[in-house]
Amino acid sequence: MLPLRTRIFAFLQERLVKAPLNAEEMIALRAQREGLRTGPVTALLFGRPADVEVKETYVDGRRFAIYTPPGVGEDAPVVINYHGGGWCLGTPEQSAWVSSHVAAGTGSIVVAPSYRLAPEHPFPAAVEDAWSALEWVAKNASDLGGDPSRIAVMGDSAGGNLAAVVSLMARDAGGPSVRAQVLIYPAVEMYEKFPSEAANANGPVLTSTQMSTFGHLYMGSRYGDESWQASPLRAPSHADLPPAHIITALHDPIRDHGTRYAEVLRAAGTPVSLVDYDTAFHGFMSLPGVAPAAREALAGIVEFLRDVDRGNSVSGH
């Protein structure tokens, strides 16, 4: 069962936030969400960021938030964190709690890039921007105090999709080098409906209807396109990819996306740790104030990245 605070949050959200059903409503929702994120209940819902330095830079008109922990010298690990939001919503700041605490907990420089959003910029705009962000970080890691050979990618939901996609693209292109991928309830299949979607069709934060809206707006005129850059589960090969840490939530309609992706990675010989949180829901890592499991999941991410950085093998779950 979901914790009481989670059930209260879900009850209020269902009554206060109208689910967008078209492009105009999706765009309008962005301002409403940002107002909530910067309002008086911010810390209660979204958690307090860790005490790290936060800077901004702009790359080709896209804003990057850069989280640097105290005492970083040279050659620090670097983590690129792609935000979620169904490829239609979100900003780097909605993941500030995770980005800052991963930076503090691992001694990594965390780069959180923005990317173009649908419906104004449909697929593959987000993929192009995610790839450009990886290339930029690899080229400029040394200037940030980081090591270009120690880059990991991370993302939640749509951001998990982008992290998985750029890991595949980097393998196929022979670089940049990606040493690990952290996929937080990733969306890895654009069309097929798995059992978790029916089981959690009206779950908190994300419903089956909303999944369809996001998919149609993201793919736009290319809806139906089976490209693996939209659905990384469909990639012809999942071999020779960096070790993955995949987080799923029991009360999430896309829970099975994470478990299916773990299966194909393992079948191809890619090391995977898969952790399911039975009191959690879609989006819980951005809402530590209403999701007690978020702190446990954060600790697991930090442990995974530390292990990879030390050259330890990834243990399966």
Side-chain angles (χ1 to χ4, degrees):
M1 179 180 290
L2 289 166
L4 177 61
R5 72 179 83 170
T6 302
R7 284 180 278 142
I8 293 171
F9 170 78
F11 175 84
L12 293 173
Q13 184 205 35
E14 185 178 353
R15 281 149 184 80
L16 296 176
V17 179
K18 181 180 182 295
L21 298 175
N22 55 47
E24 292 74 19
E25 291 178 359
M26 187 68 72
I27 293 168
L29 182 58
R30 291 178 194 157
Q32 184 181 1
R33 280 170 53 110
E34 192 62 11
L36 176 64
R37 193 192 63 76
T38 57
V41 297
T42 296
L44 292 176
L45 292 176
F46 302 105
R48 296 188 181 280
D51 185 17
V52 299
E53 179 185 55
V54 186
K55 290 184 176 180
E56 285 187 354
T57 190
Y58 284 81
V59 180
D60 297 330
R62 289 172 286 110
R63 185 170 55 86
F64 288 29
I66 302 171
Y67 301 82
T68 305
V72 168
E74 297 180 351
D75 300 330
V78 183
V79 179
I80 305 172
N81 186 22
Y82 300 103
H83 70 78
W87 308 278
C88 297
L89 303 167
T91 66
E93 284 70 34
Q94 78 179 30
S95 300
W97 183 78
V98 172
S99 293
S100 63
H101 283 279
V102 165
T106 64
S108 300
I109 298 163
V110 176
V111 179
S114 64
Y115 51 88
R116 287 172 292 169
L117 300 175
E120 303 97 315
H121 304 284
F123 174 82
V127 173
E128 293 168 352
D129 290 352
W131 176 250
S132 294
L134 173 58
E135 289 188 313
W136 182 87
V137 168
K139 182 179 179 180
N140 294 276
S142 297
D143 292 339
L144 299 175
D147 182 345
S149 69
R150 297 165 72 196
I151 297 173
V153 294
M154 176 169 68
D156 62 295
S157 191
N161 168 285
L162 296 174
V165 168
V166 298
S167 295
L168 287 158
M169 293 173 69
R171 178 203 62 187
D172 293 350
S177 174
V178 176
R179 68 187 176 96
Q181 47 183 331
V182 177
L183 310 179
I184 304 168
Y185 33 83
V188 296
E189 165 54 45
M190 196 57 63
Y191 309 110
E192 187 175 351
K193 291 189 176 183
F194 300 130
S196 63
E197 183 173 347
N200 299 287
N202 295 301
V205 178
L206 182 66
T207 66
S208 177
T209 298
Q210 290 166 348
M211 287 172 60
S212 177
T213 301
F214 283 129
H216 276 87
L217 292 178
Y218 177 51
M219 296 306 293
S221 63
R222 290 181 62 174
Y223 190 83
D225 187 325
E226 297 184 0
S227 166
W228 63 261
Q229 291 192 346
S231 302
L233 189 62
R234 297 174 182 248
S237 170
H238 294 87
D240 303 315
L241 288 169
H245 181 66
I246 301 177
I247 290 171
T248 58
L250 180 62
H251 304 277
D252 182 356
I254 65 169
R255 175 179 182 260
D256 289 346
H257 285 229
T259 57
R260 298 287 179 103
Y261 205 61
E263 289 170 2
V264 299
L265 290 177
R266 285 173 175 158
T270 296
V272 180
S273 60
L274 172 66
V275 186
D276 184 60
Y277 292 91
D278 60 6
T279 63
F281 54 95
H282 189 82
F284 80 97
M285 287 298 293
S286 297
L287 293 160
V290 295
R295 297 183 186 281
E296 182 183 351
L298 173 68
I301 293 170
V302 169
E303 180 183 7
F304 167 76
L305 289 172
R306 284 177 171 171
D307 281 348
V308 169
D309 207 45
R310 289 192 291 255
N312 294 344
S313 61
V314 175
S315 59
H317 294 276

